[in-house]
Amino acid sequence: MINLEKIYIDSKAYLKGHFLLSSGKHSEYYLQSAKVLENPKTAELLAFNLAKMIKKSGIHVETVCSPALGGLLAGYELARSLGVRFIFAERVKNIMTIKRGFEIKKNEKILMCEDIITTGGSVLEAASQVEKQGGKIVAFAALANRGFCKREGGNNEINHTCKLPKNIPFFALGDFEFDVYDKENCPLCLNGSKAFKHGSREN
Ligand code: ZN
């Protein structure tokens, strides 16, 4: 079994400090999956292990679909490992859209993949577009779960902010659970340090 936390730390993708997240919240930790995936061998290894879990579950997947931009690399590598095709959804004027000539057959079995699933908002928006075009969502997957949703085999309690449907399995290689704070009661701010904005989105 791979040690996801070690891989993120070694890739400088799991940072400790005082961060201002895109949600406006403050956090002592920051995840940047792009830093893990900049090494194709690491991406391949993670996707291989994720694919193994999905194959073991017996769920049949015909296509992997990711929301751009964050999910693209993880989704593409997962599709390669599963031996299926890969498509993506992207925001056009802030609406998640499937374009570029991608076609979805009626009842095509589609797995939705992200790099990290926090509440699952973006991936669910993409999933609803897939369903509109006739696809059937058979699973969700991510390299890591932020601990708000419950992955297959995970131990955490599901949080009410999780948007993923409970009747569809969610696969991830591990959990990254850490607190986020409102500015007013951030213990790091109370200690006199200043929050730093890292990247444009928290994942
Ligand atoms: Zn703070």
Side-chain angles (χ1 to χ4, degrees), residues 117-120 145-151 156-163 170 175-180 202:
I117 285 187
T118 305
T119 62
N145 172 32
R146 262 290 279 115
F148 295 89
C149 298
K150 192 162 164 44
R151 66 184 170 98
N156 63 302
E157 291 296 316
I158 193 163
N159 184 282
H160 70 278
T161 56
C162 176
K163 297 188 177 83
F170 163 38
D175 305 300
F176 283 107
E177 291 184 74
F178 51 81
D179 291 331
V180 295
E202 68 191 82

Side-chain angles (χ1 to χ4, degrees), residues 31-137:
L31 292 164
Q32 181 53 273
S33 296
K35 284 291 292 172
V36 172
L37 299 169
E38 76 179 352
N39 183 342
K41 285 278 173 224
T42 308
E44 184 181 25
L45 173 75
L46 294 174
F48 173 80
N49 280 277
L50 195 53
K52 205 160 74 176
M53 289 169 64
I54 294 159
K55 284 180 191 164
K56 205 174 155 195
S57 77
I59 290 171
H60 179 52
V61 175
E62 291 175 284
T63 295
V64 173
C65 178
S66 291
L69 196 62
L72 292 184
L73 298 174
Y76 191 84
E77 283 296 328
L78 180 61
R80 187 210 299 275
S81 225
L82 288 170
V84 302
R85 76 171 179 131
F86 174 75
I87 63 174
F88 62 89
E90 60 201 295
R91 288 194 190 280
V92 179
K93 291 182 179 147
N94 215 30
I95 308 287
M96 203 56 93
T97 314
I98 293 168
K99 45 188 237 175
R100 305 194 187 247
F102 291 138
E103 288 174 6
I104 295 171
K105 294 193 304 277
K106 187 159 170 51
N107 289 322
E108 184 168 340
K109 297 179 175 64
I110 299 188
L111 176 145
M112 301 301 302
C113 184
E114 262 284 21
D115 53 355
I116 292 183
I117 285 187
T118 305
T119 62
S122 299
V123 80
L124 201 63
E125 266 183 75
S128 74
Q129 291 306 310
V130 165
E131 285 173 331
K132 260 189 204 164
Q133 297 199 18
K136 184 173 165 45
I137 309 300

Side-chain angles (χ1 to χ4, degrees), residues 18 26 186 188-189 195:
H18 183 187
H26 289 197
C186 169
L188 303 158
C189 283

